[in-house]
Structures are given as structure tokens and as C-alpha cells.
Amino acid sequence: MLAAFLVCLSGASALSINNSELQGLSWSFTSDPSNDAASSSGTSYETFGMGSAIKNGFLYVVVQTNFPEAGGVGSDSYTSVTHFSPGDLYVNVGGSFQNGGGSIYGLATTTHANVVQQAYSGNWSTFQSGKLYQNAVFATGTFEQYQLAHPNYKPDDGDGNNRVNSYPTLLRGGNQVAGDISGVLYRAASNSNWAYEIIYKISLGALGLTGGSKDPLTQLFWVMECGNDGVEHFVKSGTDPVVPEPTTLALMVAGIGALAAKRRRA
């Protein structure tokens, strides 16, 4: 595996994601069908699944894919040869991109230095890799004929099967969350079924969440810029595995021990 890297950003604390902290997580996963990527480039545009876990006030998200951090070269509705970037993480607290509603956030995977500029009208903004943006606006996939190849593809993109690729791919606009501490790690995977894992780490407080049962349903979605193969996952209120902080765990153990001792004396 690649060594974890440190995301250093101006105006915010630096956040590292290291392999040791990931080893203690209990993940809830949603798998994505294999061999469903609409591409003539083999399996390089394939996604395999997405998972989430909660620990110490942070939401961790993992995307399993063959799509490299450097992006890929292919064709779309705009040009025969172009460069595609990895997508950004779409987060909707209390709604979904298919049905609307909710509070929309985006966590930038890259700075968008290599996006398909000609595919988008108006001004295009750059973003800070590893940072969280609220009131997020997303561009959609540039491979507009995707549903012609996969009319029954799941998850549905919510546009009524109108043959237009409506998956949220890249952040187009939004405001950086003040005081946010988040990060992203793109690493080689040890699993032979997929080549890479993209790890995101987001403060629950920045999303207005606590990790408890009263949190609204939160939709997570990821797809590369062209929109060839996406994966969707929901963080279910109070059901994702929650790993308590070490101090909390120690207090719990001490409390159980004291209760057991009291019962023995009774």
C-alpha cells in the first residue's frame, strides 16, 4: 500500500489519514455490480463498492475503484480524446440527488486542475483537495450516452431515463466549511478485485450530525468525472458501526467492572 499522506491546507488545521487508524474501523458496505462500467478501456472505469464508519466524531468513507488518482484518457460527448479526473465525494444530509431536498456537501478529491473545461459552460472554480464545501453545486457526467449502454443501471440517476448522464461528479460551486477539519487519502489496495481505495474523513459536526439515532439519513455518492460507473451508499441513522473514543471505552470497562464487583459483594 502507498504510505498515507498529509493534507496541508491554508486557513485550516492539517489532517492526516494514516493506515493505523483505519485498521480499527468497523465498516458498513454497499457493493456495486462488477463489469457494469460503460467504457472501451476495460475495467479501469469500474467501481466496486462504498463503505462508511464512525469513530471519534468523524465519518470515514471508502470508495473501491480501479480509477487512478491521475485520472484517465477517453472520449465523451464533447471530444474524441480528453482527460477525466476522479470525482468528488457527494454528501446529502436528509435528501438525495435523485429526489432533491437535504443539505448538500462536497469533499474535493483533487484541485480540478485537469477537468474537461470545454464540457462546462461559465466559469470553473478550483477547489482545495481534502476540504469540505457546503451549499455544494455539482457538475454532471460528460458521458451523456451512458444510459444507452446501461438503461437499467443502478443507482438510478433520477432524471427519468432521459438518456442524459445526471450523476453528480465534480464540485462546481460551494462555500468552504469554516473551521472544517477533513481529508482524503488515495491509496493502492491490497485486494486483487480493485486497484485503489479512496478514503475520506469528515467531521460529523461539520455536517450537523452526531452519529446518533436521531441523525437524518445521509446519502453518499461517488463517480469519476465522465460518469461511467458510480456507487451509492447511505449512512443509516444510528446503525453504522460506532467505535467509541479510547477514554470513553476505558470508562465503560471500568463501569462494568465496578458493577460486577458490587454484585459480588451483594
Side-chain angles (χ1 to χ4, degrees):
M1 290 185 180
L2 297 176
F5 66 87
L6 187 67
V7 181
C8 297
L9 302 161
S10 60
S13 301
L15 175 68
S16 62
I17 303 178
N18 56 69
N19 291 320
S20 61
E21 70 177 291
L22 299 176
Q23 292 174 357
L25 297 178
S26 298
W27 296 93
S28 172
F29 275 100
T30 299
S31 60
D32 182 69
S34 59
N35 301 318
D36 65 339
S39 172
S40 59
S41 303
T43 62
S44 60
Y45 287 77
E46 193 75 52
T47 59
F48 295 84
M50 176 184 280
S52 63
I54 294 172
K55 181 180 180 181
N56 296 348
F58 284 95
L59 171 65
Y60 293 82
V61 180
V62 59
V63 175
Q64 301 160 333
T65 182
N66 281 347
F67 197 75
E69 183 177 11
V73 176
S75 61
D76 59 16
S77 303
Y78 298 90
T79 181
S80 59
V81 179
T82 190
H83 180 275
F84 300 121
S85 296
D88 296 322
L89 180 66
Y90 174 94
V91 183
N92 191 323
V93 179
S96 69
F97 71 83
Q98 295 97 331
N99 300 317
S103 299
I104 302 174
Y105 298 83
L107 200 154
T109 306
T110 70
T111 61
H112 298 177
N114 295 314
V115 298
V116 186
Q117 300 281 354
Q118 72 273 19
Y120 310 103
S121 60
N123 296 325
W124 184 262
S125 301
T126 58
F127 291 83
Q128 294 187 25
S129 174
K131 291 306 297 179
L132 183 69
Y133 294 82
Q134 61 187 352
N135 303 317
V137 178
F138 275 74
T140 55
T142 62
F143 192 78
E144 302 296 1
Q145 302 303 312
Y146 182 80
Q147 288 187 331
L148 290 176
H150 294 283
N152 298 316
Y153 175 74
K154 301 297 181 183
D156 181 25
D157 66 357
D159 64 8
N161 200 27
N162 66 356
R163 306 303 194 212
V164 173
N165 192 320
S166 298
Y167 296 114
T169 58
L170 291 174
L171 277 163
R172 184 70 188 272
N175 305 312
Q176 186 173 312
V177 176
D180 164 54
I181 301 176
S182 56
V184 60
L185 169 66
Y186 221 113
R187 70 180 187 179
S190 58
N191 189 302
S192 59
N193 291 332
W194 53 85
Y196 305 101
E197 293 173 336
I198 314 171
I199 312 292
Y200 299 94
K201 183 177 181 179
I202 311 171
S203 168
L204 288 172
L207 299 173
L209 301 174
T210 65
S213 60
K214 294 183 179 180
D215 282 349
L217 193 68
T218 298
Q219 181 192 43
L220 306 172
F221 185 82
W222 185 91
V223 66
M224 64 285 300
E225 179 184 357
C226 46
N228 281 43
D229 189 19
V231 59
E232 178 183 55
H233 176 73
F234 287 91
V235 179
K236 298 177 177 61
S237 304
T239 62
D240 257 24
V242 178
V243 181
E245 298 180 53
T247 53
T248 303
L249 184 60
L251 289 172
M252 290 171 60
V253 172
I256 293 171
L259 181 60
K262 182 177 180 180
R263 286 180 174 175
R264 285 196 299 269
R265 289 195 299 268

